[in-house]
Amino acid sequence: MPSPLSDRRVVLALALACCFLWGSAVPAVKIGYELLSIAPGDTPSLLLFAGVRFTLSGVLLLGYAVATRRPIGLSTGSLGQVGLLGLVSTAGQYLFYYVGLAHTSGVKVSITTSSSTFFSALLAHWLYANDKLTLRRLLGCVIGFAGVVVVNLSSAALDFSFSLLGEGFILIAAVLFSVAGIYGKRISKKLDVLVMTGWQLGLGGVMLSVAGLATSGHLGAFSLEMVVLLAYLGALSAAAFSLWALLLKHNPVGSIAIFNTLIPVFGVTLSGLVLGESFLEWKNLVALGLVSLGIWLATAVRTPAASER
């Protein structure tokens, strides 16, 4: 009997929720930098901030698992797999993401992050028989990446505004997000998704915290506003990552990856409204259009039913 999580209406509702939460994280994290007086170049403190956020997310999920009487203990083998997932998905991805976010605008981050959709489509082509990369999908990837290029055009004609620490690190984070999603789908077949995600976020958060503290990272005084913001960031990560892992477990990667197009839509809009960033420039609107069209072409294609390899 098909899982309710494969129903298109359920998938749409949960995917929309995930993308809204991740989109809202862009302005929220930047506000956190200001409240904690973290300078863009202060990488140790950026890592510590990320570590505290994701450790909190892991604690929230594992605490919920205990409250609902789910066993949270893992075998040695499973702990190693989840630890690797935490290293790639949380520690690795967000090391690059947080540093990149500090060196570019929320608008650019939101759109560039959507490139994870294309990486997921390419990886799924090699790993799953029901996610093959057709000519139409390939065209979609090309058009989508054109959108990423457009958003990196500066106001000067054909000049490119691109930095390794900014847009480059965000692209690396997108690759890690795609790899982790596919790896997480595989190990979730034998693990409770909520428990798996809780350990993944918690262990990854501890890794980031240790790295930040070991390199002299520090955070400013926590005001009530900062406590509320941190609680929101922790809760949104716990909810979004666990829901996304559930969707990947019960659906083909390509059919879920398409919804990443909504992250830049939410992220650009919320960054503009909350941070006062310009989001109605022609290049951003063109980029959003190209990314959306590219993802539609790359993933909204019916493929013959086939069992996964």
Side-chain angles (χ1 to χ4, degrees), residues 17 25 58 77 136 150 189 238 280 286 288:
R136 183 172 177 175
V150 168
K189 292 178 180 179
L280 293 178
V286 171
L288 278 173

Side-chain angles (χ1 to χ4, degrees), residues 57-70 72 194-195 242:
S57 297
V59 169
L60 289 174
L61 278 177
L62 293 176
Y64 178 76
V66 171
T68 53
R69 299 184 177 181
R70 304 185 187 198
I72 63 172
L194 189 147
V195 173
S242 55

Side-chain angles (χ1 to χ4, degrees), residues 15 20 25 28 44 74 87 94 99 125 129 160 164 172 182 236 271 301:
F20 173 82
L74 298 176
L87 176 64
Y94 281 92
V99 175
H125 169 77
F160 286 90
L164 176 60
I172 294 173
I182 289 178
L236 83 82
S271 290
V301 181

Side-chain angles (χ1 to χ4, degrees), residues 85 88-89 93 175-185 200 248:
L85 182 61
V88 175
S89 178
Q93 179 193 167
V175 173
L176 293 177
F177 176 81
S178 301
V179 171
I182 289 178
Y183 181 59
K185 176 180 175 70
Q200 165 205 329
L248 287 175

Side-chain angles (χ1 to χ4, degrees), residues 279-297:
F279 65 101
L280 293 178
E281 295 180 19
W282 71 267
K283 63 177 183 180
N284 294 330
L285 297 177
V286 171
L288 278 173
L290 288 172
V291 168
S292 298
L293 174 60
I295 293 177
W296 178 74
L297 286 171

Side-chain angles (χ1 to χ4, degrees), residues 155-179:
S155 58
L158 297 178
D159 184 27
F160 286 90
S161 175
F162 184 94
S163 70
L164 176 60
L165 288 179
E167 295 78 24
F169 272 30
I170 296 299
L171 278 174
I172 294 173
V175 173
L176 293 177
F177 176 81
S178 301
V179 171

